[in-house]
């Protein structure tokens, strides 16, 4: 059953330390990025420092899990990071195709309305050899997916969903995600700095909140797989529309909104409580969809 509701109850250690997670994540990342802004280090140090700051969410999540988590919580966390079998093949397809699909929908509309579609080089980064591809993939994987997702989805999402439900939790996490990126808008050479604080900023901010909902949907339907979030983030990075004017930003914002609405509307139209109880009872018999209280035990 495809639903927003297949989340598990957050472990006690996560619920207790969620504010600590956000505080330490912002302190770590903003201190590193703030040092770049204030002290302007040598150019060959800037990229490593940007990457170091980006690992704030993951570093803090690992620290809190290893420091305060029970043995079962630690095992659950690392299984969700490394298990490929938690993800059904249909969800692998969705992860692989959703962001390229946004490109294939948005760019033809943009072109019809007079926009200029970028060449393939804008997405491949001038890849000419397998080594070039491996290097680009490594950068894309480190610069966001591995640096962030063990924290945002792997640690923070469960307690937020338990408090507010999947939709509100996704929006709250998306807004926090936007705020966390803000120092990068002041560092020359980053994609955020290139956007500035005009139309592109608001389009990008909406995209972050929108894909936060998509991430939650995938996460909840892959048995809380952190690996699924890492792969989805990788595809979001690799298939991000480039060189858009305000018209292009508006078109891609509309495409993302339609996709998010397609996810949210069925959730809003969920069964009434008495109907939902019978549905959960049926779904609990399906492999891979444990009841919330049993999810951590079945890890």
């Amino acid at each position: 059953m495809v639903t927003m509701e297949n989340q598990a109850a957050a472990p006690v250690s996560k619920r207790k330390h969620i504010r600590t997670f956000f505080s330490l994540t912002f302190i770590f990342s903003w201190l590193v990025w703030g040092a770049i802004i204030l002290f302007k280090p040598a150019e060959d140090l800037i990229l490593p420092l940007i990457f170091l700051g980006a690992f704030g969410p993951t570093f803090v999540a690992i620290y809190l899990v290893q420091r305060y988590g029970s043995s079962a919580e630690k095992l659950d966390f690392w299984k969700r990071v490394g298990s490929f079998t938690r993800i059904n093949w249909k969800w692998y397809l969705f992860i692989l195709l959703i962001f390229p699909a946004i490109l294939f929908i948005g760019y033809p509309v943009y072109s019809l309305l007079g926009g200029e579609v970028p060449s393939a080089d804008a997405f491949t980064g001038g890849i000419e050899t397998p080594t070039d591809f491996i290097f680009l993939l490594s950068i894309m994987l480190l610069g966001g997916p591995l640096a962030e997702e063990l924290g945002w989805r792997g640690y923070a999402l469960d307690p937020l969903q338990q408090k507010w439900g999947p939709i509100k939790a996704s929006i709250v996490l998306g807004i926090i995600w936007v705020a966390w990126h803000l120092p990068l808008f002041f560092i020359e050479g980053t994609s955020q700095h290139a956007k500035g604080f005009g139309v592109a900023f608001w389009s990008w901010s909406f995209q972050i909140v929108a894909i936060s909902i998509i991430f939650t949907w995938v996460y909840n339907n892959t048995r809380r797989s952190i690996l699924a979030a890492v792969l989805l983030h990788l595809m979001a990075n690799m298939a991000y529309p480039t060189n858009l004017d305000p018209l292009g930003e508006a078109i891609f914002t509309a495409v993302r909104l339609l996709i998010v609405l397609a996810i949210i509307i069925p959730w809003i139209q969920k069964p009434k409580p008495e109907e939902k109880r019978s549905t959960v009872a049926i779904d609990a018999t399906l492999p891979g969809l444990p009841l919330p209280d049993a999810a951590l035990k079945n890890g």
Side-chain angles (χ1 to χ4, degrees):
M1 180 179 179
V2 177
T3 175
M4 287 291 286
E5 294 289 354
N6 293 335
Q7 78 268 21
V12 174
S13 62
K14 286 187 182 180
R15 298 197 301 271
K16 183 177 179 181
H17 295 103
I18 187 63
R19 291 184 180 179
T20 302
F21 166 77
F22 285 123
S23 298
L24 290 180
T25 294
F26 273 75
I27 289 171
F28 180 90
S29 298
W30 282 25
L31 279 177
V32 175
W33 292 338
I36 299 174
I37 298 168
L38 292 175
F39 301 112
K40 303 186 184 306
E43 286 190 14
D44 58 346
L45 292 178
I46 292 178
L47 184 59
L49 286 173
I50 289 174
F51 272 80
L52 177 63
F55 268 87
T58 283
F59 284 165
V60 172
I62 292 174
Y63 166 74
L64 292 176
V65 168
Q66 296 301 125
R67 176 68 176 81
Y68 297 106
S70 65
S71 296
E73 290 167 0
K74 294 174 186 176
L75 180 62
D76 169 73
F77 180 83
W78 290 111
K79 284 176 69 175
R80 292 188 294 124
V81 171
S83 175
F84 286 86
T85 59
R86 300 179 79 94
I87 309 171
N88 182 279
W89 68 269
K90 294 179 182 178
W91 287 100
Y92 275 116
L93 283 180
F94 180 87
I95 291 167
L96 181 65
L97 298 177
I98 180 59
F99 290 107
I102 291 174
L103 294 184
F104 283 110
I105 294 171
Y107 272 125
V109 176
Y110 182 45
S111 179
L112 285 173
L113 295 178
E116 182 177 350
V117 178
S119 66
D121 285 344
F123 300 97
T124 60
I127 294 174
E128 296 179 355
T129 67
T131 302
D132 292 338
F133 175 75
I134 293 172
F135 177 76
L136 178 63
L137 186 64
S138 300
I139 293 294
M140 290 287 190
L141 187 60
L142 288 171
L146 288 177
E148 301 176 35
E149 290 306 330
L150 277 69
W152 300 139
R153 256 55 63 171
Y155 192 91
L157 184 55
D158 283 342
L160 293 180
Q161 287 195 89
Q162 187 171 13
K163 182 174 182 179
W164 286 312
I167 300 299
K168 187 175 180 180
S170 301
I171 294 172
V172 169
L173 186 55
I175 293 171
I176 293 171
W177 200 5
V178 169
W180 174 79
H181 281 89
L182 288 178
L184 295 175
F185 285 84
F186 299 94
I187 299 176
E188 291 187 20
T190 65
S191 60
Q192 288 81 12
H193 184 271
K195 295 181 196 316
F197 288 98
V199 173
F201 170 78
W202 296 106
S203 174
W204 174 84
S205 299
F206 175 83
Q207 178 218 227
I208 294 295
V209 176
I211 68 172
S212 181
I213 295 172
I214 297 174
F215 271 63
T216 299
W217 187 56
V218 171
Y219 174 86
N220 286 351
N221 282 283
T222 54
R223 295 188 291 162
R224 303 165 53 245
S225 172
I226 300 171
L227 177 62
V230 168
L231 296 176
L232 190 63
H233 198 145
L234 174 63
M235 292 307 303
N237 283 357
M238 297 188 72
Y240 188 83
T242 61
N243 303 324
L244 297 178
D245 58 15
L247 172 63
E249 296 287 356
I251 290 170
F252 277 94
T253 297
V255 172
R256 294 172 191 129
L257 177 60
L258 290 174
I259 291 173
V260 169
L261 288 176
I263 294 171
I264 291 177
I265 290 175
W267 178 80
I268 294 175
Q269 297 175 339
K270 62 184 179 180
K272 295 179 180 179
E274 61 273 12
E275 296 172 339
K276 186 178 176 182
R277 281 195 293 271
S278 63
T279 302
V280 170
I282 294 172
D283 286 347
T285 65
L286 298 177
L289 293 180
L291 286 170
D293 292 340
L296 292 177
K297 298 178 183 178
N298 295 340

